[in-house]
Amino acid sequence: MVAPVPFGKGFIFKDKILDKANELNYEIDEYQIFVNKSQVFKAYTTSIYEGDNGNKRKIDEIHDIETYEIRTSKNILLAWGWYSISSLIKQMPKINTARSLRLRKGNIQIGLENTLDKLFKDTRWSKYYYGEVYTVSSDLIPNARRDYFLENSDLKELEKLLKVKFNELQKLNYFSSNIRSEKRKIDEFVSFSKEFEEKTNKGGFTDNEEKKKYQEKFDSKKEKAIVAEKELEKVKESSASPSQYKIFEKIIGETKQKVEKVKVNEENSKTKFLTDDISRLNRKDRKLVSKILSVIDSVLMKELADNLKHKIIEELNK
């Protein structure tokens, strides 16, 4: 990440970065460097992972990149750069070697991955992105340690303008978080409606009281999901930047069905209960078992209660 090497062939957004460089008449110095006959490339990828090299899994992807220019009030170009657009699910773990926004001079990295963190209002947001800041001004001079630039007016101006740009990125994080929060309410409702329908049609209720609680929960989740759906529609209409629109589209995707139209379909007019199929027991005994199952519901966690109830029914049907 320090050396002036090319982007890897698998990083499909490199042409967009190079096109921006050509537009600004800026030459990105690139050198072919080999280690043990293997060429070295910048470590940018289109996938974001967690875990380690022996056991990693994909958690997000780079959907696109955005380029930008840092100009003074007199329209003098101090720097330009690019940043990745993903779903911004979480900070990129360390396995993503290229994480953070990297400061460069002559395509050589200045400082470490966290050198520009201080320009964020909240430093944690910097690790949600891949990106680079290419400094252009000849007055931006690396210090002897090459961990930052010498203090001067151009550096102060650059820092001031980058703070503005990075504040925009921080707002993108909040934007993404809000979208995922609203979508989660819809997903939870859809998932619960399927569970409710399955219990309704396959005899999964302990008693009428449990069915009533499911209906109340269904109505509550549906109300919240409807509000969330309306909120997402407003967000989509008010997306102010291409970055926001791309993030919205990737997180939400295509809406297949309106929340208002989601309902639980009952195959039979009569609700079935867990005890209905215990043929060896009379009605009085089934009623007693139903009370026992109801007690289990009241004292155990849902998953454990469901497993225990079904085990009891299995034993009684033997």
Side-chain angles (χ1 to χ4, degrees):
M1 295 305 297
V2 176
V5 294
F7 294 103
K9 295 178 180 179
F11 188 58
I12 61 176
F13 303 110
K14 62 181 180 179
D15 289 341
K16 196 169 183 178
I17 298 169
L18 297 176
D19 287 344
K20 184 64 178 180
N22 290 333
E23 175 191 326
L24 296 171
N25 198 29
Y26 178 89
E27 184 176 356
I28 300 178
D29 296 325
E30 294 180 344
Y31 296 87
Q32 292 188 345
I33 298 175
F34 293 82
V35 176
N36 297 329
K37 297 183 179 180
S38 296
Q39 187 172 357
V40 177
F41 297 95
K42 290 178 182 176
Y44 295 111
T45 63
T46 55
S47 296
I48 300 171
Y49 300 96
E50 68 177 4
D52 52 49
N53 286 322
N55 182 29
K56 66 179 183 179
R57 72 180 187 91
K58 181 178 175 180
I59 58 171
D60 200 354
E61 64 178 308
I62 306 302
H63 309 309
D64 203 347
I65 67 157
E66 289 290 336
T67 60
Y68 59 91
E69 301 173 16
I70 302 298
R71 293 182 177 273
T72 67
S73 57
K74 296 181 179 179
N75 202 34
I76 297 173
L77 184 67
L78 290 177
W80 66 279
W82 64 273
Y83 60 87
S84 60
I85 299 173
S86 66
S87 297
L88 302 174
I89 294 172
K90 60 188 290 187
Q91 280 190 337
M92 295 184 185
K94 288 184 178 180
I95 191 174
N96 302 282
T97 305
R99 67 178 186 171
S100 297
L101 303 179
R102 310 297 183 116
L103 183 62
R104 307 186 81 85
K105 179 74 174 184
N107 202 22
I108 299 175
Q109 183 172 293
I110 301 297
L112 303 173
E113 71 171 57
N114 61 353
T115 295
L116 292 174
D117 284 7
K118 62 183 180 181
L119 303 183
F120 281 83
K121 288 183 178 180
D122 187 337
T123 58
R124 63 192 169 119
W125 298 123
S126 67
K127 290 181 174 58
Y128 280 73
Y129 298 93
Y130 286 148
E132 296 177 307
V133 178
Y134 292 97
T135 53
V136 175
S137 171
S138 58
D139 288 330
L140 292 169
I141 304 169
N143 60 28
R145 297 182 302 275
R146 294 193 66 83
D147 61 1
Y148 206 50
F149 294 118
L150 298 176
E151 293 285 342
N152 58 36
S153 59
D154 272 25
L155 178 60
K156 290 181 180 179
E157 184 74 1
L158 176 67
E159 289 180 336
K160 182 182 76 173
L161 295 172
L162 281 177
K163 284 180 180 179
V164 174
K165 171 53 66 175
F166 293 167
N167 187 46
E168 292 176 9
L169 297 188
Q170 188 163 317
K171 289 179 180 178
L172 270 185
N173 285 88
Y174 291 128
F175 178 83
S176 171
S177 178
N178 290 336
I179 292 173
R180 284 183 281 110
S181 177
E182 299 300 333
K183 183 177 184 293
R184 195 176 302 117
K185 296 173 186 176
I186 297 173
D187 291 342
E188 287 176 357
F189 165 67
V190 172
S191 177
F192 182 77
S193 68
K194 292 177 181 178
E195 179 187 342
F196 188 11
E197 185 170 286
E198 184 175 358
K199 287 179 78 71
T200 298
N201 295 317
K202 294 186 178 180
F205 294 113
T206 301
D207 51 27
N208 280 315
E209 184 61 29
E210 186 188 20
K211 183 178 181 181
K212 180 181 177 183
K213 288 179 180 178
Y214 259 79
Q215 184 64 58
E216 290 172 349
K217 193 173 182 180
F218 175 86
D219 293 340
S220 175
K221 284 183 174 291
K222 184 171 186 176
E223 183 178 345
K224 291 177 181 178
I226 289 172
V227 173
E229 189 175 60
K230 290 178 180 177
E231 185 61 30
L232 287 173
E233 288 174 358
K234 291 179 183 177
V235 170
K236 184 177 182 179
E237 291 173 0
S238 62
S239 295
S241 69
S243 298
Q244 287 183 338
Y245 187 79
K246 288 170 186 173
I247 290 173
F248 183 93
E249 288 296 302
K250 288 298 179 179
I251 293 176
I252 301 302
E254 294 183 7
T255 303
K256 296 182 179 179
Q257 185 177 13
K258 290 288 185 181
V259 170
E260 185 65 52
K261 295 182 179 180
V262 176
K263 62 180 181 179
V264 173
N265 296 310
E266 295 191 46
E267 295 175 359
N268 303 298
S269 57
K270 182 181 177 182
T271 301
K272 288 187 65 178
F273 298 99
L274 281 171
T275 56
D276 286 353
D277 295 326
I278 310 177
S279 56
R280 61 186 292 183
L281 298 181
N282 58 38
R283 184 175 179 182
K284 182 179 179 181
D285 289 340
R286 287 201 299 270
K287 191 172 182 180
L288 176 60
V289 172
S290 180
K291 287 183 178 180
I292 294 172
L293 299 182
S294 180
V295 172
I296 291 173
D297 280 334
S298 66
V299 297
L300 295 180
M301 298 291 289
K302 182 180 182 302
E303 184 177 354
L304 184 57
D306 286 345
N307 289 337
L308 180 56
K309 288 189 299 181
H310 283 96
K311 185 64 178 176
I312 290 173
I313 297 298
E314 286 178 9
E315 290 296 320
L316 291 174
N317 272 321
K318 286 183 178 179

